[in-house]
């Protein structure tokens, strides 16, 4: 008597996380493929450099060590210190997350300079978190920045500065997908983390400042 072999068991359905990752990978590749022949590489590369930590930290430190001639230099220093602390917090948050999650970057990511070992990993986007943190602090400090611009007689850009900064942050974040550096969800996570970092630094630093003022 010939024994009948049992039919192969069906493959298990992919988990929810796997389906989300697959969707993210597919939509990111689609966006990259559609825009790659259209958007000039130098434009996307310029946005990448503008949000890089190697530009951000020297610029903020230079302004702190050689402050501009504001009549209210104390407040200007507070704003710059907020930016510096936000940048440091961003490194503390993003680096360990990248190392813990270890999501590989897109296979079509080319010609990328790696600043740190964790930059091999994709999630979350450090550029997106940094520029979002900067935009958040600019927004929260908009009254002070407005006064400074009026003092420096830059009245023409007072009403447009927030739009410029937010537009730069949004465009730089989007460019991470279009340049092939990140997946869409990497960027979304980076933006959300950057906003939270900005809010945290602004609230904590102002709390400490007010506390020291009343003591």
């Amino acid at each position: 008597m010939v024994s009948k072999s049992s039919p192969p068991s069906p493959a298990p359905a992919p988990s929810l996380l796997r389906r989300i990752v697959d969707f993210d990978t597919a939509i990111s590749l689609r966006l990259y493929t559609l825009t790659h022949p259209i958007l000039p590489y130098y434009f996307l590369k310029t946005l990448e450099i503008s949000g890089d930590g190697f530009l951000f930290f020297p610029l903020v430190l230079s302004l702190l060590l050689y402050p501009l001639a504001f009549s209210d230099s104390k407040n200007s220093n507070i704003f710059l210190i907020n930016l510096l602390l936000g940048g440091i917090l961003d490194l503390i948050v993003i680096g360990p997350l990248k190392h813990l999650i270890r999501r590989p970057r897109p296979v079509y990511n080319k010609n990328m300079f790696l600043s740190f070992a964790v930059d091999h990993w994709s999630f979350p986007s450090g550029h997106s978190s940094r520029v979002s943190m900067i935009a958040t602090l600019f927004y929260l400090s908009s009254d002070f920045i407005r006064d400074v611009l009026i003092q420096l007689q830059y009245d023409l850009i007072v009403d447009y500065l927030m739009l410029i900064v937010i537009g730069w942050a949004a465009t730089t974040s989007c460019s991470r997908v279009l340049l092939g550096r990140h997946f869409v969800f990497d960027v979304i996570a980076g933006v959300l983390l950057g906003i939270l970092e900005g809010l945290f630094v602004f609230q904590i630093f102002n709390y400490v400042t007010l506390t020291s003022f009343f003591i």
Side-chain angles (χ1 to χ4, degrees):
M1 184 175 181
V2 180
S3 61
K4 295 181 179 180
S5 59
S6 59
S9 57
S15 65
L16 177 61
L17 178 60
R18 182 71 262 169
R19 282 182 284 177
I20 291 174
V21 170
D22 290 343
F23 172 78
D24 186 27
T25 302
I27 194 67
S28 301
L29 176 59
R30 182 65 174 166
L31 290 172
Y32 173 79
T33 305
L34 285 174
T35 59
H36 186 64
I38 303 172
L39 295 176
Y41 175 78
Y42 69 85
F43 172 69
L44 298 175
K45 187 65 179 178
T46 300
L47 289 172
E48 180 176 60
I49 294 172
S50 72
D52 198 284
F54 279 102
L55 176 64
F56 170 77
F57 285 105
L59 180 60
V60 174
L61 287 171
S62 298
L63 292 174
L64 272 172
L65 296 175
Y66 186 73
L68 298 176
F70 299 148
S71 60
D72 192 358
S73 59
K74 180 180 178 180
N75 283 339
S76 66
N77 284 339
I78 289 175
F79 174 66
L80 292 171
I81 291 171
N82 276 342
L83 284 176
L84 183 61
L85 291 177
I88 295 172
L89 176 62
D90 184 65
L91 291 177
I92 294 172
V93 171
I94 300 300
L97 280 176
K98 282 179 178 285
H99 183 74
L100 179 65
I101 298 172
R102 293 174 173 254
R103 184 184 191 185
R105 289 185 182 269
V107 294
Y108 44 85
N109 176 38
K110 307 295 182 183
N111 303 318
M112 179 180 176
F113 173 75
L114 299 177
S115 304
F116 304 98
V118 292
D119 286 336
H120 283 287
W121 310 115
S122 187
F123 186 94
S125 167
H127 273 73
S128 300
S129 63
R130 187 178 303 110
V131 298
S132 298
M133 177 272 297
I134 294 171
T136 300
L137 287 176
F138 264 84
Y139 177 79
L140 294 173
S141 308
S142 57
D143 291 339
F144 158 69
I145 295 172
R146 182 183 181 88
D147 293 340
V148 168
L149 291 175
I150 291 175
Q151 291 171 18
L152 296 175
Q153 299 181 346
Y154 291 145
D155 306 57
L156 292 176
I157 66 171
V158 166
D159 296 328
Y160 302 103
L161 181 62
M162 287 303 109
L163 291 177
I164 293 172
V165 174
I166 293 173
W168 162 75
T171 306
T172 302
S173 296
C174 292
S175 74
R176 306 308 291 158
V177 176
L178 307 183
L179 195 56
R181 303 297 194 224
H182 286 282
F183 301 102
V184 172
F185 286 2
D186 302 342
V187 170
I188 294 174
V191 169
L192 294 176
L193 287 171
I195 292 172
L196 291 175
E197 290 166 357
L199 289 169
F200 178 80
V201 169
F202 185 82
Q203 295 297 331
I204 292 298
F205 193 82
N206 280 281
Y207 173 77
V208 172
T209 303
L210 288 173
T211 302
S212 61
F213 175 80
F214 285 109
I215 292 178

